[in-house]
Amino acid sequence: MGDTLFGKIIRREIPADIVYEDDDVLAFRDINPQAPVHVLFIPKNPVATLNDLAPDDAVLVGKLVLAASAWAKREGFADNGYRCVMNCNRDGGQTVYHIHLHLLAGRALHWPPG
Ligand code: AMP
């Protein structure tokens, strides 16, 4: 797949407000936050869309979710609640073709989303 700006963030070629990192996952604040807390959790190994995931990626996707829920607990808003979203392709609103999990928190979130 082609490189994206998230690849550049992983390689520290462009700045980001990084809040979490481990061997497989990087998390940084969204540049255009939609809630008081809006963090993107991305795999360091890029996959373009959810459609491109293979069975072997199950552990990777699990790590994204676990990293997000652990971070929510550490930051103290897990009990109030939060939302995790992964957009896929045009109708899903995906704009960056390197899968990412949006973690939104800090206000009551509406449902259904727009
Ligand atoms: P999506 O629309 O689901 O593909 O989400 C992409 C997200 O990346 C959007 O919420 C953007 O605001 C965010 N974004 C784009 N460029 C940057 C950047 N340089 N640093 C942090 N977040 C970004």
Side-chain angles (χ1 to χ4, degrees), residues 5-6 28-32 40 87 93-96 100 102:
L5 69 94
F6 288 176
F28 50 90
R29 294 191 191 278
D30 197 293
I31 204 167
N32 182 25
L40 303 174
N87 298 325
Q94 184 172 8
T95 59
V96 179
H100 45 282
H102 296 257

Side-chain angles (χ1 to χ4, degrees), residues 72-93:
K73 288 175 194 156
R74 276 201 302 279
E75 293 295 309
F77 56 80
D79 285 345
N80 279 350
Y82 56 94
R83 182 172 295 165
C84 292
V85 177
M86 296 181 82
N87 298 325
C88 182
N89 277 340
R90 183 195 60 204
D91 282 1

Side-chain angles (χ1 to χ4, degrees), residues 6 10 18-22 24-30 37-45 50 60-75 77 82-86 98-104:
F6 288 176
I10 291 168
I18 293 169
V19 299
Y20 174 78
E21 181 169 23
D22 63 29
D24 304 303
V25 175
L26 187 72
F28 50 90
R29 294 191 191 278
D30 197 293
V37 177
H38 187 172
V39 171
L40 303 174
F41 287 78
I42 69 171
K44 289 184 175 176
N45 186 27
L50 292 179
L60 184 65
V61 175
K63 285 179 176 178
L64 281 186
V65 177
L66 286 170
S69 68
W71 191 78
K73 288 175 194 156
R74 276 201 302 279
E75 293 295 309
F77 56 80
Y82 56 94
R83 182 172 295 165
C84 292
V85 177
M86 296 181 82
H98 177 141
I99 61 167
H100 45 282
L101 180 150
H102 296 257
L103 187 159
L104 299 143

